[in-house]
Amino acid sequence: MANDQRGKRKVREGVVVSNKMMKTVVVEVERLVRHPVLGKVLRRTSRFKAHDEHNECREGDRVLIMETRPLSKEKRWRVVQILARAK
């Protein structure tokens, strides 16, 4: 109910590429984009710093992140759920 009043928050799915910081992970999100002239499908990646309160994430984990208020200079996302553990 409180989430409805604040509007929709962006949710992304990605892979943890770094967990070397305290309570912070770097999540790489991949998206497919069609080239405007050639029409070829290109793979583009974005890296987001996300808050991991209990330091549960490890490198290679597939996670769900959600947009949140600014927590630091570059951190605007938080880990909602770990979808799959790294092998």
Side-chain angles (χ1 to χ4, degrees), residues 55-73:
N55 283 322
E56 295 171 334
C57 296
R58 296 191 297 258
E59 285 186 35
D61 289 355
R62 185 164 262 328
V63 294
L64 195 70
I65 58 174
M66 180 183 281
E67 200 173 30
T68 186
R69 65 184 175 82
L71 299 170
S72 69
K73 181 183 173 185

Side-chain angles (χ1 to χ4, degrees), residues 21 35 48 70:
M21 295 171 274
H35 191 280
F48 299 105

Side-chain angles (χ1 to χ4, degrees), residues 20-84:
K20 291 177 172 61
M21 295 171 274
M22 288 176 57
K23 296 190 178 185
T24 303
V25 291
V26 179
V27 179
E28 199 165 72
V29 176
E30 190 176 275
R31 61 190 166 89
L32 298 176
V33 181
R34 189 169 292 280
H35 191 280
V37 177
L38 302 177
K40 182 178 180 176
V41 177
L42 304 171
R43 187 174 285 148
R44 295 284 178 229
T45 58
S46 302
R47 291 164 66 100
F48 299 105
K49 289 190 175 68
H51 185 68
D52 179 21
E53 180 62 37
H54 304 292
N55 283 322
E56 295 171 334
C57 296
R58 296 191 297 258
E59 285 186 35
D61 289 355
R62 185 164 262 328
V63 294
L64 195 70
I65 58 174
M66 180 183 281
E67 200 173 30
T68 186
R69 65 184 175 82
L71 299 170
S72 69
K73 181 183 173 185
E74 296 178 334
K75 199 163 45 164
R76 272 102 174 100
W77 297 81
R78 62 185 161 90
V79 175
V80 178
Q81 181 181 4
I82 299 172
L83 302 173

